[in-house]
Amino acid sequence: MKFVVYNLDTSRVKLEAYVDRTSKKDLGEKEVEARRNNWKKVGEMIDDGTNFVAETFDKVDGHRAITEGGGVVFIRNTNIAKAEYKFLQVTEIQTPVQQLFVPEDY
């Protein structure tokens, strides 16, 4: 599973979830190699800070989307009996600055 979060602006973030169902358990190892990275988007939403019930904690406003990084990764497993992770990786992606289009006669 991949979970991608990126800023849309200063007050909203987009959340996307992807799954690659390829598994050595279900397929032979050679077939897995051939089908690897077959990611399918299974969900997406825009969080503007009003999507979830959250309290304000210290200086963090519980009614705003978190748009600033902090070097912390949090994995929450609610109401499940067992969680297993394999090949877990966390990567921060620095996107290039997008240039604002300005017409020549501006």
Side-chain angles (χ1 to χ4, degrees), residues 66-95:
I66 298 172
T67 58
E68 299 175 12
V72 176
V73 175
F74 178 76
I75 299 173
R76 178 177 174 171
N77 298 298
T78 304
N79 299 325
I80 63 169
K82 183 178 179 182
E84 294 183 12
Y85 300 97
K86 187 175 182 179
F87 307 120
L88 179 67
Q89 177 180 343
V90 176
T91 306
E92 180 177 6
I93 301 170
Q94 295 293 333
T95 57

Side-chain angles (χ1 to χ4, degrees), residues 45-78:
M45 69 173 287
I46 294 175
D47 182 7
D48 62 2
T50 63
N51 305 74
F52 306 100
V53 177
E55 296 179 21
T56 297
F57 178 76
D58 197 15
K59 296 179 183 178
V60 178
D61 183 355
H63 303 287
R64 287 188 51 220
I66 298 172
T67 58
E68 299 175 12
V72 176
V73 175
F74 178 76
I75 299 173
R76 178 177 174 171
N77 298 298
T78 304

Side-chain angles (χ1 to χ4, degrees), residues 13-76:
V13 294
K14 184 154 186 191
L15 313 167
E16 298 176 347
Y18 296 83
V19 172
D20 181 353
R21 296 183 189 260
T22 306
S23 169
K24 289 181 183 179
K25 181 178 178 181
D26 301 326
L27 304 170
E29 193 162 335
K30 289 182 180 179
E31 190 175 350
V32 168
E33 287 299 321
R35 292 179 54 188
R36 187 172 300 233
N37 291 324
N38 187 21
W39 295 98
K40 303 287 184 202
K41 186 186 291 186
V42 294
E44 69 179 1
M45 69 173 287
I46 294 175
D47 182 7
D48 62 2
T50 63
N51 305 74
F52 306 100
V53 177
E55 296 179 21
T56 297
F57 178 76
D58 197 15
K59 296 179 183 178
V60 178
D61 183 355
H63 303 287
R64 287 188 51 220
I66 298 172
T67 58
E68 299 175 12
V72 176
V73 175
F74 178 76
I75 299 173
R76 178 177 174 171

